Amino acid sequence: MMKVLVFFLLIISASVAANTVSTQPSLELNVNSGLERVCFYANQRYSKGAVIEVGTQLFVCEREKSYEQNGRLGWLPFPAASADSTKRN
C-alpha cells in the first residue's frame, strides 16, 4: 500500500512541477484597418474608384451603400460594363 501511495505522490508531483507551455496564434491588430476606406482583392488593397476584372465581369471599388458619404467600400459591378450588357440584350 505504501508503494502505491509513493507512486501516486511521485506522479502528482511530477505533473505539478512540469512546465506547461501553451502557445496561441499571433494576432496582428491593425487599428487603422477599420478606418481605412479600401477594397481588398487577392490580398491587395485598392482605393475607391479602382477597377478590376474577374473573369469577364468588371468591378469597381465604390461605397457599399449609396446613401453613406463615409461608409465602407465594396466591389460593385462596373456601371459601364452593366450598361453595355443591357444594351446588347
Side-chain angles (χ1 to χ4, degrees):
M1 179 71 177
M2 188 62 145
K3 289 181 182 180
V4 173
L5 182 61
V6 170
F7 176 74
F8 280 106
L9 286 174
L10 285 174
I11 297 294
I12 291 172
S13 65
S15 63
V16 170
N19 290 335
T20 304
V21 177
S22 63
T23 59
Q24 296 178 351
S26 63
L27 174 65
E28 289 185 30
L29 179 61
N30 186 355
V31 177
N32 294 329
S33 65
L35 304 175
E36 287 182 299
R37 297 189 55 209
V38 295
C39 295
F40 287 94
Y41 180 73
N43 291 327
Q44 293 183 350
R45 295 180 195 186
Y46 293 87
S47 62
K48 182 178 176 183
V51 178
I52 60 169
E53 184 175 4
V54 180
T56 58
Q57 177 70 42
L58 293 175
F59 292 92
V60 63
C61 180
E62 281 293 331
R63 295 182 303 209
E64 286 185 343
K65 298 178 177 78
S66 60
Y67 56 85
E68 291 181 339
Q69 294 299 316
N70 201 18
R72 293 177 55 183
L73 299 178
W75 293 110
L76 302 174
F78 191 68
S82 61
D84 289 342
S85 64
T86 55
K87 288 179 185 176
R88 293 179 189 164
N89 292 335

